[in-house]
Amino acid sequence: MAIRNVVLEGDDILRKHCREVTEITPRIRMTLEDMLETMRSQYGVGIAGPQVGVMRRMFVAEPEPDRVYFMINPVMLEQSGSQIGDEGCLSVPGLIGTVERPDYVKIEAMDLNGEKQVYEFYDFDARVMCHEYDHLDGILYTDKAENIRDAAEDYEEDMD
């Protein structure tokens, strides 16, 4: 596995729609494993293909330690409810913003073995999945966020 460079906001690649993965090859598996290592090295909870320069419909999410989801060609089947919370992004370092997301999502995706899986996510997990799913369509959280601010300042306020 290898740590890859994270593409930063301003790069056109983050605004493009990703293509489907047509075959789960050893290279696709290795890329997803690299994405996991890259995400963990940056203390993230999710990372999508375009964030490492790969224009394929795939992402990795780890909403809590050692609970990893490899999502290949995800399809959003259902969404409901609403939650409002702060988000950041590895491709938009140093900033956070408040985003409204569904508090329930149902997603169908292939796993690393090419098996179709159906997942249901709630609360924070749903937020993570929606955030990463948006990346596959060229959408950044900052497109939906209010109150975008410096993460360090927010952290300092919490310490007071």
Side-chain angles (χ1 to χ4, degrees), residues 16-19 48-50 55-59 71 73-74 131-139:
K16 296 182 178 177
H17 288 263
C18 295
R19 299 183 314 271
M55 296 308 299
R56 296 285 184 225
R57 294 193 72 80
M58 58 188 198
F59 66 81
M71 301 288 203
N73 296 334
H131 178 112
E132 299 311 325
Y133 189 86
D134 277 354
H135 275 296
L136 305 181
D137 293 321
I139 300 167

Side-chain angles (χ1 to χ4, degrees), residues 23-128:
E23 181 182 1
I24 299 175
T25 63
R27 183 180 174 126
I28 290 291
R29 286 187 190 94
M30 181 187 72
T31 300
L32 285 160
E33 293 289 348
D34 288 354
M35 288 167 60
L36 177 62
E37 186 173 349
T38 302
M39 177 195 77
R40 286 176 170 168
S41 77
Q42 300 289 316
Y43 305 102
V45 294
I47 192 166
Q51 292 182 274
V52 294
V54 177
M55 296 308 299
R56 296 285 184 225
R57 294 193 72 80
M58 58 188 198
F59 66 81
V60 178
E62 188 176 28
E64 62 183 43
D66 298 319
R67 189 161 52 84
V68 178
Y69 298 92
F70 294 99
M71 301 288 203
I72 302 169
N73 296 334
V75 176
M76 193 72 67
L77 300 175
E78 292 178 34
Q79 301 182 43
S80 66
S82 176
Q83 60 172 309
I84 296 173
D86 287 340
E87 295 183 19
C89 182
L90 299 179
S91 292
V92 189
L95 296 178
I96 58 173
T98 306
V99 182
E100 183 175 3
R101 299 273 189 195
D103 65 5
Y104 165 80
V105 295
K106 185 176 189 179
I107 298 175
E108 179 181 84
M110 285 188 289
D111 61 20
L112 279 178
N113 298 316
E115 301 290 325
K116 278 200 175 181
Q117 306 289 335
V118 176
Y119 303 95
E120 293 184 294
F121 299 102
Y122 298 87
D123 305 319
F124 180 71
D125 293 14
R127 173 177 300 284
V128 172

